[in-house]
Amino acid sequence: MDTHTPTPTEGPAVDLDLRHHGDAEVRDDGSALVDLAVNVRADTPPVWLREHVVASLGSLAAYPDGRAARAAVAARHGLPVERVLLTAGAAEAFVLLARALKVSRPVVVHPQFTEPEAALRDAGHTVGRVLLREADGFRLDPAAVPEEADLVVVGNPTNPTSVLHPADAVAELARPGRTLVVDEAFMDAVPGEREALAGRTDVPGLVVLRSLTKTWGLAGLRIGYVLAAPETITELERAQPLWPVSTPALAAAEACVAPRALAEAAHAAHRVAVDRAHLVSGLTRFAAGGVRVVEPAAGPFVLVRLPHAAAVRHRLRDLGYAVRRGDTFPGLGEEWLRLAVRDRATTDGFLRALERAVAEPA
């Protein structure tokens, strides 16, 4: 397995657009496209959640008070409130970790969400990379992470590969003196949240990040949280500005960890699994043309390798569909695309468009 620690002046590591995200595919001239580029669950937020957020607007004259939401998140994971920090989305948590923690050898396991590395680089860190390989199914090998790494970032399930790593394998990365950051932004889309580390207090140096924007369609509201040891939470909180999470976002956080919402999320996770199986089954029809799906997929998206993917992506846009390019993820290249899981009818329409797109000469 390839382990590579780039220097700050190394071209390929610096030149990748780590700040390119799926929403770029559906901005401006892409706004009318069917969106398979962004991993936010379709048809969200639900009506009851929108109404709950709207009801909070009557309190906008007061400064945000996050105590109730923080306590609700703590209760949801069976933790004391001292182990919880609410953030303006998981993205803010990556910035706080990069700025607040005193680390000298951070390592990011790729391919994965690129914002952690971008935040670390912006904070002045030289970032090492562990590149998981397609030949290994992009599965985590804890032995590939350098022993000297004092901060390790890994996603589970991983964006964009949709690989769900065993919790024991992830926990094996923990070491005395090392901070282990596990991005579980999509874990609530996994039925039963199997392999989750959220709520664990027996893994030294563990920091778990959760997002409430993907399952609940709150990307524009910005809400997530950190679960970690109290001393780590204190360090991160010191790096936060005052009142970092708005009153509507706090109201959403409290609602999204309530029993009713957890039951709805669990139901949605099973529905996503069924819809994902339908997408993967449809993609297998293109195997003779060189289309390969990374399996088993566990997230609300799949990673696909296909010939001339860049050209296919542009043809799909002409046919009304936006998909996520893969070449901005370290460890991938132009032959990769990420596809969000959608309902059966949307997927069937996409598969018909894909058939046309791959049939055109390169």
Side-chain angles (χ1 to χ4, degrees), residues 1 109-112 130-133 136-142 153-173 181-184 187 190 193-197 294 296-299:
M1 197 161 291
V109 178
H110 285 291
Q112 78 146 12
V130 170
L131 301 181
L132 305 183
R133 301 192 308 163
D136 300 321
F138 295 109
R139 291 186 296 272
L140 176 66
D141 176 6
V153 184
V154 62
N156 204 32
T158 301
N159 171 22
T161 64
S162 207
V163 171
L164 182 65
H165 305 295
D168 288 346
V170 178
E172 195 176 327
L173 293 171
V181 179
V182 184
D183 177 7
E184 292 189 350
M187 188 61 79
V190 176
E193 296 195 5
R194 64 187 191 278
E195 313 302 347
L197 291 177
V294 176

Side-chain angles (χ1 to χ4, degrees), residues 31-318:
S31 60
L33 300 176
V34 178
D35 179 10
L36 277 76
V38 176
N39 287 329
V40 173
R41 182 162 62 97
D43 300 323
T44 52
V47 173
W48 65 264
L49 181 53
R50 288 202 300 270
E51 291 176 346
H52 187 80
V53 170
V54 168
S56 74
L57 300 182
S59 303
L60 290 185
Y63 285 97
D65 183 349
R67 289 177 296 177
R70 188 180 184 185
V73 170
R76 181 254 194 270
H77 291 288
L79 296 171
V81 293
E82 293 81 11
R83 283 182 167 267
V84 175
L85 181 66
L86 302 176
T87 58
E92 188 206 6
F94 293 125
V95 174
L96 296 177
L97 288 163
R99 293 178 178 177
L101 300 187
K102 305 300 186 287
V103 298
S104 58
R105 296 178 182 271
V107 167
V108 179
V109 178
H110 285 291
Q112 78 146 12
F113 185 50
T114 53
E115 204 60 34
E117 179 171 328
L120 286 162
R121 289 184 178 278
D122 287 347
H125 296 282
T126 299
V127 183
R129 290 177 178 170
V130 170
L131 301 181
L132 305 183
R133 301 192 308 163
E134 179 189 6
D136 300 321
F138 295 109
R139 291 186 296 272
L140 176 66
D141 176 6
V145 176
E147 280 296 324
E148 63 270 20
D150 56 1
L151 183 145
V152 177
V153 184
V154 62
N156 204 32
T158 301
N159 171 22
T161 64
S162 207
V163 171
L164 182 65
H165 305 295
D168 288 346
V170 178
E172 195 176 327
L173 293 171
R175 301 280 190 283
R178 172 186 287 178
T179 299
L180 172 58
V181 179
V182 184
D183 177 7
E184 292 189 350
F186 294 99
M187 188 61 79
D188 59 354
V190 176
E193 296 195 5
R194 64 187 191 278
E195 313 302 347
L197 291 177
R200 293 271 296 270
T201 59
D202 60 321
V203 180
L206 177 65
V207 176
V208 174
L209 308 184
R210 285 289 183 107
S211 170
L212 294 172
T213 65
K214 310 299 191 302
T215 288
W216 296 108
L218 298 173
L221 197 60
R222 310 309 307 142
I223 180 63
Y225 54 88
V226 181
L227 307 175
E231 57 270 22
T232 300
I233 294 296
T234 298
E235 287 185 70
L236 299 179
E237 197 167 18
R238 287 195 186 114
Q240 269 189 320
L242 291 173
W243 309 292
V245 182
S246 70
T247 294
L250 292 170
E254 190 172 357
C256 289
V257 296
R260 169 188 174 177
L262 295 179
E264 184 172 324
H267 177 73
H270 286 283
R271 189 169 67 248
V272 165
V274 172
D275 290 338
R276 183 180 59 242
H278 181 67
L279 172 60
V280 171
S281 176
L283 290 169
T284 60
R285 301 202 314 259
F286 301 93
V291 175
R292 298 290 182 269
V293 183
V294 176
E295 294 189 82
F301 47 87
V302 298
L303 183 64
V304 178
R305 183 175 185 172
L306 68 163
H308 315 296
V312 169
R313 182 171 65 87
H314 288 295
R315 292 171 196 153
L316 285 169
R317 292 183 71 85
D318 293 338

